[in-house]
Amino acid sequence: ELSVVLFAQSRALSADGSFPFDERANGFISSDGLGFFLLMRLEDAIASKARIRAVLRAVGGSCDGKGKALWAPRKEGQVLAMRRAYEGSGLDPRTIGLLEAHATSTPIGDATEIGALEEVFGAARKQLGRPLPIGSVKGNIGHTRETAGAAAMIKAIMALESGTLPPTGSFKTPSKSIPWNDVSS
């Protein structure tokens, strides 16, 4: 498959495993998965007495734009996508209690994502004085590529329903490439 070849040539694949935000991060392992959701308009779900497990309020997107390399993330693009999602949802980022991160399991990708999260959530977290737990399902099951978002949403929904903060399976030692001191606790 062409995408696997491209990931291998760009050194995005790991021979060791997926270690999001960990010092051992050296790429991701590819996996496969299937996840699906039955989407209904909220008023229809309420009227039909359907079991509502989550409400999707908005989707935010952007492009990382012209960068140094095909897979090189840019913080500006990630910040823009998050801000668009929160503006569209009508939710205040200060009300968020759990983040399920993309987490590329690469030093530059993870540092970029944590920097973007800090830019969007940092001031609010400092003001509220409470931590914002961040995890990634990729540390548990690898990168399911096309279904990674579905896997992340399922994990987040299950965490909220159970009231449990699930661990990122492979996290042991915080990555030195991430400026943790600059991140709100």
Side-chain angles (χ1 to χ4, degrees):
E1 180 177 328
L2 181 59
S3 64
V4 174
V5 172
L6 291 172
F7 282 130
Q9 289 175 340
S10 66
R11 299 183 184 176
L13 294 178
S14 170
D16 304 330
S18 286
F19 306 107
F21 310 120
D22 194 279
E23 186 58 27
R24 297 168 296 161
N26 63 356
F28 64 87
I29 56 169
S30 184
S31 63
D32 287 310
L34 174 66
F36 64 93
F37 303 92
L38 173 61
L39 300 177
M40 299 174 75
R41 292 185 314 180
L42 183 57
E43 55 270 11
D44 293 342
I46 293 169
S48 67
K49 296 185 169 74
R51 180 176 177 203
I52 301 169
R53 300 191 69 181
V55 176
L56 182 61
R57 293 182 180 267
V59 175
S62 75
C63 174
D64 279 346
K66 186 176 181 181
K68 295 178 182 177
L70 180 62
W71 308 112
R74 293 187 64 232
K75 182 173 95 168
E76 297 83 6
Q78 294 182 14
V79 167
L80 182 58
M82 286 186 273
R83 289 199 169 134
R84 285 177 173 166
Y86 284 104
E87 287 169 8
S89 71
L91 294 174
D92 184 333
R94 291 178 292 191
T95 65
I96 304 304
L98 170 67
L99 284 174
E100 180 62 21
H102 176 67
T104 61
S105 294
T106 63
I108 190 169
D110 289 353
T112 300
E113 184 170 13
I114 292 294
L117 292 171
E118 175 61 18
E119 188 167 322
V120 173
F121 295 96
R125 289 294 142 199
K126 288 175 185 165
Q127 179 185 5
L128 296 173
R130 66 177 189 222
L132 178 58
I134 301 170
S136 175
V137 72
K138 289 182 182 119
N140 301 72
I141 65 173
H143 190 336
T144 57
R145 295 178 302 167
E146 292 82 6
T147 58
M153 284 182 60
I154 291 168
K155 178 186 169 198
I157 290 166
M158 292 175 70
L160 293 170
E161 285 181 347
S162 69
T164 302
L165 293 175
T168 296
S170 61
F171 184 80
K172 290 183 182 168
T173 306
S175 172
K176 291 177 185 157
S177 67
I178 297 171
W180 296 106
N181 290 336
D182 296 340
V183 177
S184 312
S185 59

